[in-house]
Amino acid sequence: MSKLLWANWMRLRTGRGFWLALGGVFLGSVLSIWSSSLSVRQMVQSGFVRTLDDCFFGPSTLLGALFAAFLCLFLSAEFADGAVRNKLIVGHSRAGVYLANYLTCLGACLAFVCAWVLGSLPGLLWIGPFSMGAGEFWMYLLVAAGFTAAFTALFALVNLFFGNKAVTVVFSLALWLVLVLAAGALYDRLSEPELTGGVMYADGAFREVDPAPNPMYLAGPARMLCTLALEFLPTGQALLMHGAQITAPWRQLGLSALFTALFLWAGVRFFEKKEIR
């Protein structure tokens, strides 16, 4: 395994695409937090108060697309160049090759997360400190590492199904978008208020409406199931991080571990039966 990881690292280190992507993530993060700081200043002048928490984790929802594109480019080249076939010929097991590729891609994706975090740190000067404590901030980063591992396991499996790099990229991004929409639908349903009411406009005038039960509100087991489904999806965890709404980090880490284990197991089993040319 160590030899496989070293070979993968050497290929990653000498690849121009990885370093360009890493620099692009860092620069994009700096520009994002700078743009957010401008909007925060305008809101402060209007009487609204926003903290760094509201802006720092904003790009988290886009990380999945970056992971999908990177894994497609890296792993597709492994198959196209015959590197995977050569590793099997010299005696490495299929499970070892697959896990080494997964760990290499996971390391690269975690490097992207680090670049995003470092690029957002100037927000401490431009916006101000976090309202959350240091412990909570580090827990957010652990959750980010968890859904990064889940994304990597998912897209590593997807790369086994297609032999064409362009098709793999398109399918992976389409799958990411479907998961984003699914997470958004679950989040919107969970955001339904228990009671409806307030002020409504009717017959040319505003009228106050008495609070009434909201039929769209989820309660009991249905709410718990939707919450678990949202937190099981890596896009759901990224969405919660985007809004700084992570309330059960240990549960989300456990669900990320479950998601990762399931897709890693499926990937290894499928790879053991895949025909390598």
Side-chain angles (χ1 to χ4, degrees):
M1 176 72 77
S2 60
K3 292 182 179 179
L4 291 171
L5 290 172
W6 178 253
N8 286 348
W9 161 244
M10 291 300 295
R11 178 170 173 264
L12 188 66
R13 191 186 70 174
T14 56
R16 189 176 301 176
F18 168 68
W19 297 107
L20 288 175
L22 196 64
V25 172
F26 179 80
L27 181 59
S29 183
V30 172
L31 293 176
S32 176
I33 201 70
W34 176 73
S35 177
S36 297
S37 69
L38 296 180
S39 63
V40 166
R41 292 174 188 173
Q42 293 178 352
M43 295 184 70
V44 169
Q45 292 175 356
S46 301
F48 297 94
V49 178
R50 295 189 68 186
T51 63
L52 185 57
D53 306 44
D54 303 317
C55 312
F56 192 90
F57 302 103
S60 59
T61 52
L62 300 177
L63 289 175
L66 173 66
F67 300 155
F70 172 77
L71 261 74
C72 291
L73 296 176
F74 182 82
L75 295 179
S76 295
E78 280 276 293
F79 286 97
D81 297 343
V84 171
R85 182 184 66 251
N86 294 336
K87 291 174 183 177
L88 296 176
I89 290 174
V90 298
H92 294 291
S93 67
R94 289 191 173 226
V97 171
Y98 187 85
L99 292 176
N101 285 341
Y102 168 77
L103 291 175
T104 302
C105 291
L106 176 58
C109 291
L110 289 175
F112 294 144
V113 173
C114 291
W116 154 53
V117 172
L118 292 175
S120 298
L121 287 180
L124 291 168
L125 300 175
W126 297 335
I127 298 175
F130 291 97
S131 61
M132 65 174 63
E136 188 177 359
F137 174 75
W138 286 109
M139 188 59 69
Y140 268 64
L141 296 187
L142 280 178
V143 172
F147 70 65
T148 297
F151 270 127
T152 306
L154 171 64
F155 294 126
L157 174 61
V158 169
N159 274 268
L160 297 178
F161 290 99
F162 307 99
N164 185 283
K165 183 187 298 186
V167 174
T168 306
V169 171
V170 171
F171 183 84
S172 297
L173 291 176
L175 177 60
W176 168 77
L177 182 58
V178 168
L179 293 179
V180 167
L181 295 176
L186 290 168
Y187 179 83
D188 289 342
R189 192 63 196 276
L190 289 169
S191 299
E192 288 286 341
E194 186 174 1
L195 299 175
T196 59
V199 179
M200 65 176 295
Y201 184 80
D203 300 327
F206 288 98
R207 298 181 180 180
E208 187 174 350
V209 179
D210 294 332
N214 183 3
M216 296 294 292
Y217 178 75
L218 291 176
R223 187 171 189 84
M224 178 56 67
L225 285 175
C226 281
T227 300
L228 290 176
L230 176 65
E231 295 179 347
F232 181 70
L233 295 176
T235 49
Q237 294 192 20
L239 181 61
L240 292 173
M241 179 170 289
H242 171 83
Q245 296 176 325
I246 293 178
T247 57
W250 291 112
R251 184 174 68 202
Q252 292 183 15
L253 286 171
L255 290 171
S256 289
L258 176 61
F259 188 101
T260 302
L262 287 174
F263 280 90
L264 267 182
W265 174 82
V268 170
R269 292 296 301 272
F270 186 85
F271 186 63
E272 288 177 343
K273 300 177 180 179
K274 180 179 175 64
E275 181 180 357
I276 306 298
R277 297 179 181 177

